[in-house]
Amino acid sequence: MSVAAAVAQGRATPAEMMAVAAARALSDGEVCFVGIGAPSTAANLARATHAPRLVLVYESGCIGAKPARLPLSIGDGELADTADAVVSVPEIFNYWLQPGRIDVGFLGAAQVDRFANINTTVVGDYDRPSVRLPGAGGAPEIAASCRQVYIMARHSPRTFVAALDFRTSVGFGAGAGDRERLGLPGAGPVLVATDLGVLRPDPETAELVLTQLHPGVTVDEARAATGWDLRVAGDLEISEPPTASELEQLRRLEATQRPQGAAGGGRAPHHETERSRDH
Amino acid sequence: MSVAAAVAQGRATPAEMMAVAAARALSDGEVCFVGIGAPSTAANLARATHAPRLVLVYESGCIGAKPARLPLSIGDGELADTADAVVSVPEIFNYWLQPGRIDVGFLGAAQVDRFANINTTVVGDYDRPSVRLPGAGGAPEIAASCRQVYIMARHSPRTFVAALDFRTSVGFGAGAGDRERLGLPGAGPVLVATDLGVLRPDPETAELVLTQLHPGVTVDEARAATGWDLRVAGDLEISEPPTASELEQLRRLEATQRPQGAAGGGRAPHHETERSRDH
Amino acid sequence: MAELLNLHDAVARLVRDGDTVAMEGFTHLIPHAAGHEIIRQGRRDLTLVRLTPDVLYDQMIGMDCARKLVFSWGGNPGVGSLHRFRDAVENGWPGPLEIEEHSHAGLTNRYVAGASGLPFAVLRGYAGTSLAEPGRTANLAWVDCPFTGERLAAVAALRPDVAVIHAQQADRDGAVQLWGIAGVQKEAVLAARRSLVTVEEIVDRLEPRPGSVVLPAWALTAVAVVPGGARPSYAAGYYDRDNDFYQAWEPVSRDRDRFLEWMQAHVLEAVPA
Amino acid sequence: MAELLNLHDAVARLVRDGDTVAMEGFTHLIPHAAGHEIIRQGRRDLTLVRLTPDVLYDQMIGMDCARKLVFSWGGNPGVGSLHRFRDAVENGWPGPLEIEEHSHAGLTNRYVAGASGLPFAVLRGYAGTSLAEPGRTANLAWVDCPFTGERLAAVAALRPDVAVIHAQQADRDGAVQLWGIAGVQKEAVLAARRSLVTVEEIVDRLEPRPGSVVLPAWALTAVAVVPGGARPSYAAGYYDRDNDFYQAWEPVSRDRDRFLEWMQAHVLEAVPA
């Protein structure tokens, strides 16, 4: 079924299922450091549904932003106007992110490897990249310092790769124990929400394991979309489909953001992934 | 003649002459980091007379304060209410003082030595002090980082000592070249205004030399009030007495500050010097 | 998330014997009422931290709450000495008082490092002073710049067990707003493991104000409503500094007996807020 | 003391070929008009510094103003790639572009060190990333905490030759006030040797406002009045972000010829402010 048909029938598209899966993982009252794009959508969906007291922190310095519409950029006036406090960029990184005050850091990715490390810098060789991506932004320190990290990425072998071209942000490094060795204070990624399912790190090895499939997706599809030999949890779960309320709120939110329209051009290979951590 | 008689006759007291001598050294438009007490009085006198665009910076975070009355403490509301900007204490020290943006730092002292080093910490042994003074406050970094430093102190052998009991703030350390060796960015003290005259460092040796006497004071009086063998400049000058306008402005300013009154108690040995860098 | 408590309960829950306690306020918004409650509850062996210990810490030292004082300028602003502080340092009364003293810049950066989750902060300071003599000043060291080779002062992060500040307003959720001279209060709160903010009043909404500092409720432990809680210091927009009190403290604090009588009448027998 | 100049003269005096230039603005208050004037005056070999190079730096790179880019996130916010930046990095057009890239936290702290007069700043960052590989990232090193022995990232101070920012207001003396999202603008100005602030308007008095940053005139080099000087970004209280422009930039910037035509028509032939 086409995306348009799914929307028309009130059923969730894969991207919507990804947003809902990520949103559900947030608990009310948590403090969440969000980037623009998919993470901001998911966090605002959580706030609009089961987590009305979720605290959104944006790296532009907006603490406790309560946007009525989805911001197009991380420095939107809407974020400042609705924030409990607006602080400088040095303060947001040094006083709020670095000390580990943030419960959940939300990251997108152009590439993710089996230990949930992330690349948002280049595809190909660093000095002669085939695609130059935006770069690090706040991600390395979000990945290092938040108590937990959630990752959102479309599931494809181009994104879920055996080896990153560049490690912009650390998930579990070379595996279990590496975060401790590197002195990274937070617990690292606990969840990777994709449009096919949810991956979580194995508590022993820190390798990402498929623990949940969205309705209608098969294990083979998920494995085919992963660039390494994806392990599957014994107690694999099937995601609850989005509720009517979740879908309604998600679509209402997305309608508040101006459609990207024709200006966005064709679907260039990494266009989606670039947008996933815009700013 | 008594102080009361001098005031009654419109003539300057020694303390007033000290304030006037210090105020005159400030140029219009300079940026001045001031403590409460004598330095604040002198700086505000300069602003009320020849230097209306003098910029006063207080370590409480008040930048460009324009107090109508002399503040009793460095965090007076009057300073915040009249400032161009009020910033945090970390910011005032890290962004404004430390990088050398301040033209003149104004310090009081309980003890001063021949190289214009300052003690505001203890009289006697550090661990068993005979008098415990307030301590460093902002002084060490004011002395280190301002482009120039002015010192104000009553002239007595108890204050102008051969050897400090504690070096709270560095003037010229052990002598010429020591500031460079210590990596102190500012030029150090250029002037010590007392109630007897003005001392300035010898450009060769950095030793304080009596370069100016207030009217009616003799070299012998100044030497007797100094705890080391005070050198006297060959071209010793006599201070111009305060003009009528200077005296009028000074007394007007001091009248805005509540008299210390009986509550201040007797003149304890170091009471004056303690007040000279209050806060 | 900040809990709304009365002052008695807030102090009882947050401040424990032996704690390192930072009660900040740079002339403005000094948390006097909370300090008096700590005295009334008889806390002992505290390490008191503050850039500018003034009358409040003089009282707490004289009432034997403190084992140690970490500070950078200890005087009665605009008046003179802190006689209870001096009596403790000079004569060991009512007990010995250990001191760790810094410059304002140094102690400020100890808070900044604590608030930043870093183990230390770097500054241009201390060089050539007696504070920098080997063994003199705890939590002071030196680092070499890895780029220029320059030697700079390093101060260890300060992580108080509890920070206590006073602010003008809180909202019903426990977010706090203060304005006017803000000193190092934000850093003290963010550096501390627990925090108590006393406020003049609770308002429905914290209206944005020029020069204000807002601390979200989730960054605080407890909020207590204590109108006048900063007196005799001041709270911009609420009341002025009682300069007469600071003058009057001079003769009261000079004499041990007079001091104790004053504390008995004005603090120990006072009705808690 | 800030001099009041027109934009042409301010850029002519303050910005020189080969300079390191920081034009800051975090989505908000991006100094587009000043950047266009730099393009019109044909500056070359600049080292452009900015946390978030976006459309303005895309234009300056495409017009061959820059030899080097120091940055931490280079994209068109909410839209996608910066095609002129990518073309320079991927294909060396219109010339080779050297890059030095950091994380936001790292580059921010390079400014903080510069503003603080320190040679470096310390942060928890970079560890374990490819940015931390030996030889990869200039101005990144490691220091050991002298108290705990912990190894931390150190970044070298950034001291731009000139910082350019846009603000809402200046007074007649050249003091400047901006409000809303303030990014790292204060640090960029205080870190730089020279500074230019373009403003929406001159007012008789800077009325204190919630959340405002005030820079005194004596901390600035030049102020130029340029109404609309941040368009298509926004200036809180004056105009909104032109999101359509950012969308429209995508196809314009994809194509070298279309880009050059656009710049010719909208920048080179535009009447300077």
Side-chain angles (χ1 to χ4, degrees), chain B residues 59 72-73 75-77 89 94 98 126 131-132 134 136-138 141 167-168 258 260 263 271 274-275 277-279, chain C residues 27 72-74 77-79 81 86 90 101 103-104 109 124-125 128-130 136 181 183 234 243-244 247 250-251:
Chain B
E59 69 197 14
L72 185 65
S73 94
D76 263 25
V89 165
N94 291 347
Q98 180 168 260
Y126 183 80
V131 184
R132 173 64 227 198
E141 286 76 22
R167 191 199 282 173
T168 312
R258 196 184 294 263
Q260 301 291 319
H271 191 234
E274 284 159 36
R275 286 185 46 212
R277 262 282 313 152
D278 269 0
H279 244 232
Chain C
T27 307
S72 42
W73 192 89
V79 179
S81 287
R86 282 183 56 177
E90 295 170 10
E101 70 179 302
S103 66
H104 278 346
N109 279 294
R124 291 185 190 283
T129 72
S130 298
R136 165 71 67 212
I181 289 171
Y234 72 105
N243 287 329
D244 289 339
Q247 312 272 2
E250 162 72 27

Side-chain angles (χ1 to χ4, degrees), chain C residues 71-115:
Chain C
F71 75 108
S72 42
W73 192 89
N76 182 347
V79 179
S81 287
L82 294 179
H83 295 289
R84 295 300 94 225
F85 160 62
R86 282 183 56 177
D87 203 9
V89 173
E90 295 170 10
N91 310 308
W93 191 93
L97 182 71
E98 193 186 336
I99 59 174
E100 175 187 325
E101 70 179 302
H102 289 272
S103 66
H104 278 346
L107 188 50
T108 294
N109 279 294
R110 291 201 61 200
Y111 280 121
V112 168

Side-chain angles (χ1 to χ4, degrees), chain D residues 226-238:
Chain D
V226 187
R231 289 186 195 278
S233 80
Y234 71 105
Y238 287 80

Side-chain angles (χ1 to χ4, degrees), chain D residues 5-85:
Chain D
L5 299 172
N6 65 46
L7 181 58
H8 174 278
D9 293 354
V11 166
R13 284 207 219 163
L14 269 66
V15 185
R16 299 158 198 168
D17 285 353
D19 272 357
T20 295
V21 182
M23 307 183 72
E24 278 295 345
F26 209 91
T27 308
H28 180 213
L29 294 175
I30 298 169
H32 275 267
H36 287 178
E37 184 59 29
I38 290 173
I39 292 171
R40 274 193 296 273
Q41 294 192 17
R43 288 294 173 286
R44 287 291 175 273
D45 295 323
L46 302 179
T47 293
L48 293 177
V49 186
R50 191 158 157 218
L51 264 66
T52 55
D54 61 5
V55 167
L56 176 61
Y57 273 22
D58 209 36
Q59 295 172 345
M60 294 178 76
I61 290 166
M63 295 302 283
D64 206 14
C65 298
R67 181 184 67 73
K68 183 175 174 182
L69 178 69
V70 180
F71 76 109
S72 41
W73 192 89
N76 182 347
V79 179
S81 287
L82 293 179
H83 295 291
R84 296 299 95 225
F85 159 64

Side-chain angles (χ1 to χ4, degrees), chain B residues 22-249:
Chain B
R24 286 174 180 167
L26 291 165
S27 301
D28 200 16
E30 284 186 320
V31 180
C32 187
F33 204 99
V34 281
I36 292 300
S40 177
T41 303
N44 279 290
L45 174 58
R47 207 167 61 80
T49 53
H50 67 283
R53 296 174 66 92
L54 190 70
V55 177
L56 306 189
V57 179
Y58 288 82
E59 69 197 14
S60 53
C62 300
I63 297 175
K66 291 165 278 291
R69 52 178 182 74
L70 287 183
L72 185 65
S73 94
I74 208 158
D76 263 25
E78 173 80 1
L79 297 177
D81 293 346
T82 63
D84 295 329
V86 180
V87 301
S88 73
V89 165
E91 180 174 330
I92 203 78
F93 283 107
N94 291 347
Y95 281 9
W96 296 93
L97 177 61
Q98 180 168 260
R101 296 180 209 286
I102 309 291
D103 295 311
V104 179
F106 237 130
L107 295 174
Q111 294 181 335
V112 182
D113 72 12
R114 70 171 71 207
F115 291 116
N117 301 299
I118 288 172
N119 175 17
T120 55
T121 302
V122 288
V123 178
D125 179 64
Y126 183 80
D127 292 313
R128 300 177 174 281
S130 60
V131 184
R132 173 64 227 198
L133 301 166
E141 286 76 22
I142 293 171
S145 293
C146 292
R147 291 188 187 120
Q148 301 190 328
V149 172
Y150 296 177
I151 297 169
M152 295 178 74
R154 296 281 185 100
H155 218 136
S156 88
R158 203 188 297 267
T159 299
F160 286 76
V161 296
L164 301 181
D165 291 336
F166 193 94
R167 191 199 282 173
T168 312
S169 305
V170 181
F172 296 101
D178 220 25
R179 287 187 70 88
E180 294 73 15
R181 192 183 60 73
L182 291 165
L184 306 181
V190 295
L191 173 144
V192 182
T194 84
D195 48 349
L196 301 185
V198 175
L199 286 66
R200 293 189 173 84
D202 181 301
E204 297 290 309
T205 64
E207 181 177 329
L208 289 176
V209 175
L210 181 70
T211 58
Q212 195 175 319
L213 276 177
H214 297 326
V217 181
T218 67
V219 167
D220 283 349
E221 283 172 312
R223 290 174 61 96
T226 305
W228 69 84
D229 186 21
L230 179 65
R231 286 181 51 212
V232 180
D235 54 349
L236 183 69
E237 291 178 24
I238 305 301
S239 312
E240 284 294 319
T243 65
S245 156
E246 283 171 332
L247 263 192
E248 182 195 327
Q249 290 298 333

Side-chain angles (χ1 to χ4, degrees), chain D residues 112-152:
Chain D
V112 168
S116 302
L118 292 173
F120 72 108
V122 170
L123 72 153
R124 291 187 191 281
Y126 295 95
T129 72
S130 298
L131 291 167
E133 285 165 6
R136 165 71 67 211
T137 303
N139 295 305
L140 171 65
W142 305 91
V143 290
D144 295 328
C145 172
F147 303 101
T148 65
E150 251 182 297
R151 175 148 288 203
L152 295 152

Side-chain angles (χ1 to χ4, degrees), chain C residues 58-69:
Chain C
D58 208 36
Q59 294 171 346
M60 295 177 75
I61 290 165
M63 295 303 283
D64 206 15
C65 297
R67 181 185 68 73
K68 183 175 173 181
L69 178 69

